[in-house]
Amino acid sequence: MGKCLITKLNASVTDSSILRLGEIRVKITKDSNPSNQKITLSVTKDTVVELIGDSYFTDSNLTTNLGKSKVIKPSDGIVAIYVNNVPAEIALRNKYAISDLTFNRRTKSLDLNALKFCSNLRTLNSEYSGISGDIASLKDLSMTQIYLSGSYIYGDIVNLKDMTSLSRLNINDCNDVHGDLSSLSKLTNLTFLYFNNSGLTGNISSLAKLTKITSLNLDNRNNHFVGNIESLSSLSNLSSVVLGHSALTGDLAKLPTSCTFANFNDSESTFSWSARPSDAKILTILGSALISNVDTMLIDQASREASSQSIKIISVKGSRTSVSDDAVAALQAKGYTVSIISA
């Protein structure tokens, strides 16, 4: 067995480049709009926040020098912290106490790996920022909201499969995030799921048990999602669905009654249409999905009440005949624009 020598010395470290135990730092570079130089956070315990570099804390008007150190308390709620517009690092001395953290724009950066063991972190909002790293760093956290669209993150979404407390997951425009939709099948508390333009693939039937979802956005120009649209009929809270660039089939009328907006932009989907439930409102349809029986769809839609959707358009591919002329006139009278693209 090897020997070791343990000593205890009275000393301090003055090198500010060395992180303390439990500390994370958000790096800041100069921003073209100084008023954007801020982060917001809330904490579960008193937490010291300090600036490393020549910067100082300021107010929302960017007029007052408030020093280089402050203490954020749980009673403060969500706090906006402004800094003057010079390169610096914001040091959060107790990462274990952070419950909400928000910073946006490319001028702010952080490696996701720094968030490991942030046991109280519930919300991370860092869209279109300089945040980077493997999403696997988040897998053991009990988070409820993740907003990381347009960032430099990467990894397989299988690492999120056990984050069952998630209610909102927004990871748009992240080409290096990949995996199969089935990895999200146990996230039954999700209400918002946005995964546009990523490396995801899979069958939408994997989402059939996510019954709390109100807004589903999977417009993925990189890969086609596949499956039967009827598999979403169980999503009784769904109000809007975006499935652009998809290749789906099934009876589009089987979308849940709650759904009043569907977008199939640049889609290769081919649907049929039976009849919506009697209490369903008119379904706004955007994009280029093919409907095999357009006349039936228009006549059925015309028999419904208008929804509260601000966008009132029905745009599909297919063949329409004079049989649906009265239906088109009725829809137009209800404020809808009808556009049938010849198949």
Side-chain angles (χ1 to χ4, degrees):
M1 180 177 178
K3 297 180 180 180
C4 65
L5 176 66
I6 299 175
T7 63
K8 184 175 182 180
L9 301 175
N10 292 321
S12 62
V13 176
T14 58
D15 186 348
S16 63
S17 68
I18 299 176
L19 271 67
R20 301 178 187 181
L21 183 64
E23 175 186 318
I24 63 172
R25 294 183 184 180
V26 178
K27 294 183 178 180
I28 295 177
T29 58
K30 193 169 183 178
D31 197 303
S32 59
N33 185 348
S35 64
N36 290 316
Q37 289 292 46
K38 70 172 182 176
I39 68 170
T40 62
L41 75 156
S42 65
V43 296
T44 59
K45 294 181 180 180
D46 289 3
T47 299
V48 175
V49 182
E50 294 183 345
L51 281 171
I52 309 299
D54 296 328
S55 186
Y56 56 81
F57 294 116
T58 185
D59 55 18
S60 59
N61 296 319
L62 312 178
T63 56
T64 306
N65 185 335
L66 299 177
K68 298 177 70 67
S69 180
K70 60 173 59 188
V71 177
I72 308 300
K73 301 176 180 295
S75 59
D76 295 332
I78 297 178
V79 179
I81 299 176
Y82 291 84
V83 300
N84 71 320
N85 197 23
V86 298
E89 291 180 290
I90 301 177
L92 310 176
R93 297 301 191 191
N94 184 5
K95 73 178 187 178
Y96 312 113
I98 301 171
S99 58
D100 299 272
L101 179 61
T102 296
F103 59 90
N104 305 113
R105 296 177 67 85
R106 300 295 186 207
T107 54
K108 303 173 195 69
S109 60
L110 175 74
D111 193 308
L112 285 181
N113 188 60
L115 298 177
K116 283 184 176 180
F117 312 114
C118 288
S119 56
N120 283 297
L121 186 63
R122 297 296 178 262
T123 299
L124 175 62
N125 186 336
S126 190
E127 296 189 307
Y128 300 94
S129 73
I131 200 167
S132 61
D134 193 334
I135 58 174
S137 300
L138 305 177
K139 67 179 182 180
D140 295 320
L141 305 182
S142 299
M143 300 182 67
T144 59
Q145 299 184 71
I146 295 176
Y147 305 88
L148 290 172
S149 295
S151 59
Y152 300 116
I153 61 172
Y154 57 88
D156 194 322
I157 62 165
V158 71
N159 291 292
L160 308 181
K161 67 183 179 65
D162 294 319
M163 298 183 73
T164 54
S165 295
L166 279 174
S167 63
R168 295 190 177 215
L169 182 57
N170 290 29
I171 305 184
N172 300 323
D173 302 321
C174 293
N175 293 330
D176 294 325
V177 175
H178 61 274
D180 193 278
L181 274 180
S182 60
S183 297
L184 306 178
S185 62
K186 293 195 300 181
L187 305 188
T188 54
N189 282 308
L190 281 176
T191 57
F192 286 77
L193 178 59
Y194 284 42
F195 250 114
N196 296 330
N197 303 323
S198 66
L200 266 63
T201 58
N203 194 304
I204 62 170
S205 63
S206 301
L207 308 178
K209 294 182 179 180
L210 308 188
T211 56
K212 292 183 181 180
I213 281 187
T214 62
S215 185
L216 175 63
N217 199 321
L218 297 174
D219 189 345
N220 194 349
R221 68 172 64 97
N222 301 317
N223 299 293
H224 289 321
F225 291 112
V226 298
N228 192 313
I229 197 70
E230 297 170 45
S231 64
L232 303 184
S233 62
S234 59
L235 306 186
S236 57
N237 291 294
L238 187 68
S239 62
S240 67
V241 58
V242 178
L243 287 163
H245 301 86
S246 55
L248 308 174
T249 59
D251 184 351
L252 187 56
K254 297 299 183 183
L255 280 174
T257 302
S258 57
C259 189
T260 57
F261 180 91
N263 188 339
F264 302 100
N265 178 53
D266 290 330
S267 173
E268 296 180 7
S269 299
T270 300
F271 301 121
S272 61
W273 189 284
S274 56
R276 297 277 277 159
S278 58
D279 56 342
K281 300 290 196 293
I282 296 172
L283 178 66
T284 288
I285 309 173
L286 303 182
S288 54
L290 177 68
I291 303 290
S292 61
N293 51 340
V294 171
D295 286 331
T296 299
M297 180 271 293
L298 292 171
I299 293 169
D300 182 56
Q301 291 263 65
S303 69
R304 314 289 169 193
E305 293 181 7
S307 75
S308 59
Q309 276 289 337
S310 59
I311 300 175
K312 290 181 166 54
I313 296 174
I314 297 174
S315 175
V316 299
K317 286 183 181 178
S319 299
R320 187 181 81 80
T321 71
S322 59
V323 170
S324 58
D325 283 351
D326 289 344
V328 171
L331 287 165
Q332 291 172 338
K334 295 176 182 181
Y336 284 81
T337 298
V338 178
S339 175
I340 308 302
I341 306 164
S342 180

Coordinates of all heavy atoms in Angstrom, one line a residue, residues 185-227:
S185 N -40.8 9.4 -24.7 CA -42.2 8.8 -24.5 C -42.6 8.8 -23.0 O -43.8 8.7 -22.8 CB -42.2 7.4 -25.1 OG -41.3 6.6 -24.4
K186 N -41.6 8.9 -22.1 CA -42.0 8.9 -20.7 C -42.1 10.3 -20.1 O -42.4 10.4 -18.9 CB -41.0 8.1 -19.9 CG -40.9 6.6 -20.2 CD -40.1 5.8 -19.2 CE -38.7 6.2 -19.1 NZ -37.9 5.5 -18.1
L187 N -42.0 11.3 -20.9 CA -42.0 12.7 -20.3 C -43.4 13.2 -20.3 O -43.8 14.1 -21.0 CB -41.1 13.6 -21.1 CG -39.6 13.1 -21.3 CD1 -38.8 14.2 -21.9 CD2 -39.0 12.8 -19.9
T188 N -44.3 12.5 -19.5 CA -45.7 12.7 -19.5 C -46.2 14.0 -18.9 O -47.4 14.3 -18.9 CB -46.4 11.5 -18.9 OG1 -45.9 11.4 -17.5 CG2 -46.2 10.3 -19.6
N189 N -45.3 14.8 -18.3 CA -45.6 16.1 -17.8 C -45.4 17.3 -18.8 O -45.7 18.4 -18.5 CB -44.9 16.4 -16.5 CG -45.4 15.7 -15.3 OD1 -46.6 15.8 -15.1 ND2 -44.6 15.0 -14.6
L190 N -44.9 16.9 -20.0 CA -44.7 17.9 -21.0 C -46.0 18.6 -21.4 O -46.9 17.9 -21.8 CB -44.0 17.3 -22.2 CG -42.5 17.1 -22.1 CD1 -42.0 16.4 -23.4 CD2 -41.7 18.4 -21.9
T191 N -45.9 19.9 -21.5 CA -47.0 20.7 -22.1 C -46.6 21.4 -23.4 O -47.4 21.6 -24.2 CB -47.5 21.8 -21.1 OG1 -46.5 22.6 -20.7 CG2 -48.1 21.1 -19.8
F192 N -45.3 21.7 -23.5 CA -44.8 22.3 -24.7 C -43.6 21.5 -25.1 O -42.7 21.3 -24.3 CB -44.4 23.8 -24.5 CG -45.5 24.7 -24.3 CD1 -46.2 24.8 -23.2 CD2 -45.8 25.6 -25.4 CE1 -47.2 25.7 -23.0 CE2 -46.9 26.5 -25.3 CZ -47.6 26.6 -24.1
L193 N -43.6 21.1 -26.4 CA -42.5 20.3 -27.0 C -42.1 20.9 -28.3 O -42.9 20.9 -29.3 CB -42.8 18.9 -27.1 CG -41.7 18.0 -27.8 CD1 -40.4 18.0 -26.9 CD2 -42.2 16.5 -27.9
Y194 N -40.9 21.6 -28.4 CA -40.5 22.3 -29.6 C -39.1 21.7 -30.0 O -38.1 21.9 -29.2 CB -40.4 23.8 -29.4 CG -41.7 24.5 -29.4 CD1 -42.8 24.0 -28.7 CD2 -41.8 25.7 -30.1 CE1 -44.0 24.7 -28.7 CE2 -43.0 26.4 -30.1 CZ -44.1 25.9 -29.4 OH -45.3 26.6 -29.4
F195 N -39.0 21.0 -31.1 CA -37.8 20.4 -31.5 C -37.7 20.6 -33.0 O -37.6 19.7 -33.8 CB -37.8 18.9 -31.2 CG -36.8 18.6 -30.1 CD1 -37.2 18.1 -28.9 CD2 -35.4 18.7 -30.3 CE1 -36.3 17.7 -27.9 CE2 -34.5 18.4 -29.3 CZ -35.0 17.9 -28.1
N196 N -37.6 21.9 -33.5 CA -37.5 22.2 -34.9 C -36.0 22.1 -35.3 O -35.1 22.5 -34.6 CB -38.0 23.6 -35.2 CG -39.5 23.7 -34.9 OD1 -40.2 22.8 -35.1 ND2 -39.9 24.9 -34.6
N197 N -35.8 21.6 -36.5 CA -34.5 21.7 -37.2 C -33.4 21.1 -36.3 O -32.4 21.8 -36.0 CB -34.2 23.1 -37.6 CG -35.3 23.7 -38.5 OD1 -35.8 22.9 -39.4 ND2 -35.6 24.9 -38.4
S198 N -33.5 19.9 -36.0 CA -32.5 19.2 -35.2 C -32.2 17.9 -35.9 O -32.6 17.7 -37.0 CB -33.1 18.9 -33.8 OG -34.1 18.0 -33.9
G199 N -31.4 17.0 -35.2 CA -31.1 15.7 -35.8 C -32.0 14.6 -35.3 O -31.7 13.4 -35.5
L200 N -33.2 15.0 -34.8 CA -34.2 14.0 -34.4 C -34.8 13.2 -35.5 O -35.0 13.8 -36.6 CB -35.2 14.6 -33.5 CG -35.0 14.6 -32.0 CD1 -33.8 15.4 -31.6 CD2 -36.2 15.1 -31.2
T201 N -35.1 12.0 -35.3 CA -35.9 11.2 -36.2 C -37.0 10.4 -35.4 O -37.0 10.4 -34.2 CB -35.0 10.2 -37.0 OG1 -34.4 9.3 -36.0 CG2 -34.0 10.9 -37.8
G202 N -37.8 9.7 -36.1 CA -38.7 8.8 -35.4 C -40.2 8.9 -35.8 O -40.6 9.7 -36.7
N203 N -41.0 8.1 -35.1 CA -42.4 8.0 -35.4 C -43.2 8.8 -34.4 O -43.0 8.7 -33.2 CB -42.8 6.5 -35.4 CG -44.2 6.3 -36.0 OD1 -45.2 6.8 -35.6 ND2 -44.2 5.4 -36.9
I204 N -44.2 9.6 -34.8 CA -44.9 10.5 -33.9 C -45.8 9.6 -32.9 O -46.2 10.2 -31.9 CB -45.8 11.5 -34.6 CG1 -46.8 10.8 -35.5 CG2 -44.9 12.4 -35.4 CD1 -47.8 11.7 -36.1
S205 N -46.0 8.4 -33.2 CA -46.8 7.6 -32.3 C -46.1 7.4 -30.9 O -46.7 7.1 -29.9 CB -47.0 6.2 -32.9 OG -45.8 5.5 -33.1
S206 N -44.8 7.7 -30.9 CA -44.0 7.7 -29.6 C -44.5 8.7 -28.6 O -44.3 8.6 -27.4 CB -42.5 7.9 -29.9 OG -42.0 7.0 -30.8
L207 N -45.3 9.7 -29.1 CA -45.7 10.8 -28.3 C -47.2 10.6 -27.8 O -47.7 11.4 -27.1 CB -45.7 12.1 -29.0 CG -44.3 12.4 -29.7 CD1 -44.4 13.7 -30.5 CD2 -43.2 12.5 -28.6
A208 N -47.8 9.4 -28.1 CA -49.2 9.2 -27.8 C -49.6 9.3 -26.4 O -50.7 9.6 -26.0 CB -49.6 7.9 -28.4
K209 N -48.6 9.1 -25.4 CA -49.0 9.1 -24.0 C -48.7 10.5 -23.4 O -48.9 10.6 -22.1 CB -48.2 8.0 -23.3 CG -48.6 6.6 -23.7 CD -47.9 5.5 -22.9 CE -48.3 4.1 -23.3 NZ -47.6 3.1 -22.6
L210 N -48.2 11.4 -24.2 CA -47.9 12.7 -23.6 C -49.2 13.6 -23.6 O -49.3 14.6 -24.3 CB -46.8 13.4 -24.4 CG -45.5 12.6 -24.6 CD1 -44.4 13.4 -25.2 CD2 -45.0 12.0 -23.3
T211 N -50.1 13.2 -22.8 CA -51.5 13.8 -22.9 C -51.6 15.2 -22.4 O -52.7 15.8 -22.5 CB -52.5 12.9 -22.2 OG1 -52.1 12.7 -20.8 CG2 -52.6 11.5 -22.9
K212 N -50.6 15.7 -21.7 CA -50.7 17.1 -21.2 C -50.2 18.1 -22.2 O -50.4 19.3 -22.0 CB -49.8 17.2 -19.9 CG -50.4 16.5 -18.8 CD -49.6 16.7 -17.5 CE -50.1 16.0 -16.3 NZ -49.3 16.2 -15.1
I213 N -49.7 17.7 -23.3 CA -49.1 18.6 -24.4 C -50.2 19.5 -24.9 O -51.3 19.0 -25.3 CB -48.4 17.8 -25.5 CG1 -47.1 17.4 -25.0 CG2 -48.3 18.7 -26.7 CD1 -46.2 16.8 -26.1
T214 N -50.0 20.8 -24.9 CA -50.9 21.7 -25.6 C -50.3 22.2 -26.9 O -51.1 22.6 -27.8 CB -51.2 22.9 -24.7 OG1 -49.9 23.6 -24.4 CG2 -51.8 22.5 -23.4
S215 N -49.0 22.3 -27.0 CA -48.3 22.8 -28.2 C -47.2 21.9 -28.6 O -46.3 21.7 -27.8 CB -47.8 24.2 -28.0 OG -47.3 24.8 -29.2
L216 N -47.3 21.3 -29.8 CA -46.3 20.4 -30.4 C -45.7 20.9 -31.6 O -46.4 21.2 -32.6 CB -46.9 19.0 -30.6 CG -46.1 17.9 -31.3 CD1 -44.9 17.6 -30.4 CD2 -46.9 16.7 -31.6
N217 N -44.4 21.1 -31.7 CA -43.7 21.7 -32.8 C -42.5 20.9 -33.2 O -41.5 20.9 -32.6 CB -43.3 23.2 -32.5 CG -43.1 24.0 -33.7 OD1 -42.5 23.5 -34.7 ND2 -43.4 25.3 -33.7
L218 N -42.7 20.1 -34.3 CA -41.6 19.2 -34.8 C -41.4 19.5 -36.3 O -41.4 18.5 -37.1 CB -42.0 17.8 -34.5 CG -42.2 17.4 -33.1 CD1 -42.7 15.9 -33.0 CD2 -40.9 17.5 -32.3
D219 N -41.1 20.7 -36.6 CA -40.9 21.0 -38.0 C -39.4 20.8 -38.3 O -38.6 21.7 -37.9 CB -41.2 22.5 -38.3 CG -41.2 22.9 -39.8 OD1 -40.6 22.1 -40.5 OD2 -41.7 23.9 -40.1
N220 N -39.1 19.7 -38.9 CA -37.7 19.3 -39.0 C -37.2 19.2 -40.5 O -37.5 18.2 -41.1 CB -37.4 18.0 -38.3 CG -36.0 17.7 -38.0 OD1 -35.1 18.4 -38.6 ND2 -35.7 16.7 -37.2
R221 N -36.6 20.2 -41.0 CA -36.2 20.1 -42.4 C -35.0 19.2 -42.6 O -34.7 18.8 -43.8 CB -35.8 21.5 -42.9 CG -34.5 22.1 -42.3 CD -34.2 23.4 -43.0 NE -35.2 24.4 -42.9 CZ -35.1 25.4 -42.0 NH1 -34.1 25.4 -41.1 NH2 -36.0 26.3 -41.9
N222 N -34.4 18.7 -41.5 CA -33.2 17.8 -41.7 C -33.6 16.4 -41.8 O -33.0 15.6 -42.5 CB -32.3 18.0 -40.4 CG -31.8 19.4 -40.3 OD1 -31.4 20.0 -41.2 ND2 -31.8 19.9 -39.0
N223 N -34.7 16.0 -41.2 CA -35.1 14.6 -41.2 C -36.7 14.6 -41.2 O -37.3 15.4 -40.5 CB -34.6 13.8 -40.0 CG -33.1 13.7 -40.0 OD1 -32.5 13.1 -40.8 ND2 -32.5 14.3 -39.0
H224 N -37.3 13.7 -41.9 CA -38.7 13.5 -41.9 C -39.2 12.7 -40.7 O -38.7 11.6 -40.5 CB -39.2 12.8 -43.2 CG -39.1 13.6 -44.4 ND1 -39.4 15.0 -44.5 CD2 -38.8 13.3 -45.7 CE1 -39.2 15.4 -45.7 NE2 -38.8 14.4 -46.5
F225 N -40.1 13.3 -40.0 CA -40.8 12.5 -39.0 C -41.9 11.7 -39.7 O -42.5 12.1 -40.7 CB -41.5 13.3 -37.9 CG -40.5 14.0 -37.0 CD1 -40.3 15.3 -37.0 CD2 -39.7 13.2 -36.1 CE1 -39.3 15.9 -36.2 CE2 -38.7 13.8 -35.3 CZ -38.6 15.1 -35.3
V226 N -42.2 10.5 -39.3 CA -43.2 9.6 -39.9 C -44.2 9.2 -38.9 O -44.2 9.5 -37.7 CB -42.5 8.3 -40.5 CG1 -41.4 8.8 -41.6 CG2 -41.8 7.5 -39.4
G227 N -45.2 8.4 -39.4 CA -46.3 7.9 -38.6 C -47.7 8.3 -39.0 O -47.9 9.0 -40.0

